[in-house]
Amino acid sequence: MLKTRFTELVGIEYPIMCGGMFQVGRAELCAAVSEAGGLGTITSATQGDPENLRQEIRKVKELTDKPFAVNLSLFPSSRPLPNEEYIDVLIEEGVKIVETSGRSPKDLMQKLKSGGIIVIHKVANAKNAISAENAGVDAVSVVGFETGGHPGMNDIGSIVLTKLVTDAVSVPVLGGGGFSTGQSLVAAMALGAEGVVMGTRFMAVKESILHQNVKNWMINASEAETAIVQKSIGSGSRVALNEVAKEVLKLEERGTTFEELLPLITGKRAPKVYFDGEINAGIWSCGQVVGLINDVPTTKELIDRIVQEAVDSRNFINHAFETKHEASVSER
């Protein structure tokens, strides 16, 4: 067991969280992460309406009796999300952990807390982390420039951001963006984090709903085969560098409007990628960590591997310090 304040807070074995992912965050993957000792997450926006979310929650409970989270997206949306109704479902179904992402969850905190829910808020900088802590969240995750999906607009990497946020708040912090191995877990903890949140790496596991074509693309992709699109409209998103993403980048470089981009960036195109395996059917979230993915293990195999790598890395570091100390003593 790797015990931190975060594992104690949410009642899990290892400080590894699967972040909320649109279309990908479903019951099977969520339950597999939780069963393997991490914290799985289902994504409410994927479900479309409160009753579908209720059924997905019940499906998770059929697959595991371990803790899991539900993501509530607070990002601007062309179709307003019924988050108040989602919260009613969470409380009725006894869900105890929520991940919020997007704007501040301040307006929802009273309702969440009255339902006894632990709130983890995803941020992109230290200022937002402080605001989230002041709003009453129980933990924050900070995602750097490397992350798939929305990394914030300031192009700052995860190592710098993780240290800035752990210095700025007193609640447990998870590092996000570029974390996928035991070595990176140890690095995050060395910076003061008490765990990591991973998305892209969990897309390429056997329990992920993604089409095998997508997983194969990820295995073969390099760290350079992602790009941030939509910066011109103030909603930067890191995605796989496919033909649609290249077209979006061309339009943005030339100068474009939201209306011109919308047919290319609409989430309605994602199912053709994720479920039909048409890699170039639309834009889809993918982090730079894709360059480190070279297999499609089961979720348990992946988490067991990360934990073993973390233990080996810790032992290596301890040995290095002991050797340095012994050498220093012998020189005196």
Side-chain angles (χ1 to χ4, degrees):
M1 178 178 289
L2 298 175
K3 185 181 293 187
T4 69
R5 284 192 303 162
F6 181 72
T7 62
E8 295 292 290
L9 174 69
V10 297
I12 59 176
E13 190 173 0
Y14 305 126
I16 300 167
M17 178 178 181
C18 177
M21 294 181 282
F22 183 64
Q23 296 291 354
V24 184
R26 296 172 184 263
E28 293 81 1
L29 176 59
C30 171
V33 173
S34 293
E35 275 293 296
L39 182 65
T41 304
I42 57 175
T43 307
S44 60
T46 299
Q47 300 307 316
D49 67 61
E51 286 309 308
N52 284 346
L53 176 60
R54 187 189 306 277
Q55 295 309 312
E56 196 73 4
I57 290 168
R58 291 179 177 179
K59 188 185 295 185
V60 175
K61 289 181 175 181
E62 290 174 0
L63 296 170
T64 183
D65 59 1
K66 295 186 178 180
F68 66 95
V70 173
N71 170 272
L72 293 176
S73 173
L74 308 182
F75 284 101
S77 174
S78 57
R79 179 180 62 83
L81 296 171
N83 283 321
E84 294 274 0
E85 295 174 65
Y86 285 157
I87 294 172
D88 289 336
V89 171
L90 303 185
I91 294 171
E92 290 164 9
E93 295 298 319
V95 173
K96 294 302 181 185
I97 307 166
V98 160
E99 176 195 51
T100 54
S101 53
R103 65 172 174 81
S104 170
K106 182 178 180 179
D107 295 344
L108 300 174
M109 288 302 297
Q110 183 176 355
K111 189 168 188 175
L112 289 165
K113 284 302 176 182
S114 67
I117 294 174
I118 295 166
V119 181
I120 307 160
H121 185 57
K122 188 175 290 182
V123 302
N125 55 54
K127 179 181 178 181
N128 290 345
I130 292 169
S131 296
E133 181 176 41
N134 290 339
V137 305
D138 300 283
V140 296
S141 59
V142 55
V143 292
F145 178 72
E146 304 92 332
T147 194
H150 298 282
M153 296 292 285
N154 294 322
D155 296 354
I156 300 173
S158 298
I159 288 180
V160 171
L161 280 176
T162 300
K163 180 60 175 169
L164 286 171
V165 172
T166 58
D167 284 349
V169 299
S170 60
V171 295
V173 174
L174 302 180
F179 296 101
S180 68
T181 65
Q183 293 88 347
S184 58
L185 171 58
V186 171
M189 295 176 73
L191 294 167
E194 301 194 46
V196 293
V197 57
M198 295 169 20
T200 300
R201 175 63 268 202
F202 281 124
M203 292 170 70
V205 294
K206 293 194 183 301
E207 293 86 354
S208 163
I209 198 170
L210 296 189
H211 193 282
Q212 190 62 40
N213 288 353
V214 180
K215 296 177 184 179
N216 291 342
W217 184 93
M218 296 178 75
I219 289 172
N220 294 310
S222 76
E223 71 283 0
E225 291 181 78
T226 72
I228 294 184
V229 298
Q230 301 174 200
K231 289 195 79 169
S232 65
I233 59 173
S235 182
S237 182
R238 185 175 292 282
V239 300
L241 187 58
N242 63 4
E243 295 306 313
V244 181
K246 290 175 184 177
E247 181 64 22
V248 171
L249 290 171
K250 286 179 184 177
L251 289 173
E252 292 191 281
E253 185 178 0
R254 186 193 73 194
T256 188
T257 64
F258 174 75
E259 288 73 22
E260 190 175 17
L261 286 178
L262 186 58
L264 294 173
I265 65 176
T266 176
K268 293 178 181 178
R269 300 177 66 149
K272 280 192 169 294
V273 178
Y274 290 154
F275 310 134
D276 298 338
E278 298 179 23
I279 299 298
N280 293 303
I283 63 169
W284 51 285
S285 296
C286 185
Q288 289 181 330
V289 77
V290 71
L292 297 175
I293 295 174
N294 53 29
D295 65 350
V296 182
T298 66
T299 301
K300 184 178 188 311
E301 287 169 344
L302 175 62
I303 289 181
D304 285 349
R305 179 196 305 170
I306 291 171
V307 171
Q308 187 58 55
E309 288 171 346
V311 171
D312 292 343
S313 296
R314 181 193 62 188
N315 292 340
F316 173 82
I317 293 168
N318 288 342
H319 176 71
F321 274 103
E322 289 170 2
T323 302
K324 182 176 177 62
H325 175 71
E326 291 171 359
S328 176
V329 170
S330 66
E331 289 171 0
R332 293 175 186 173

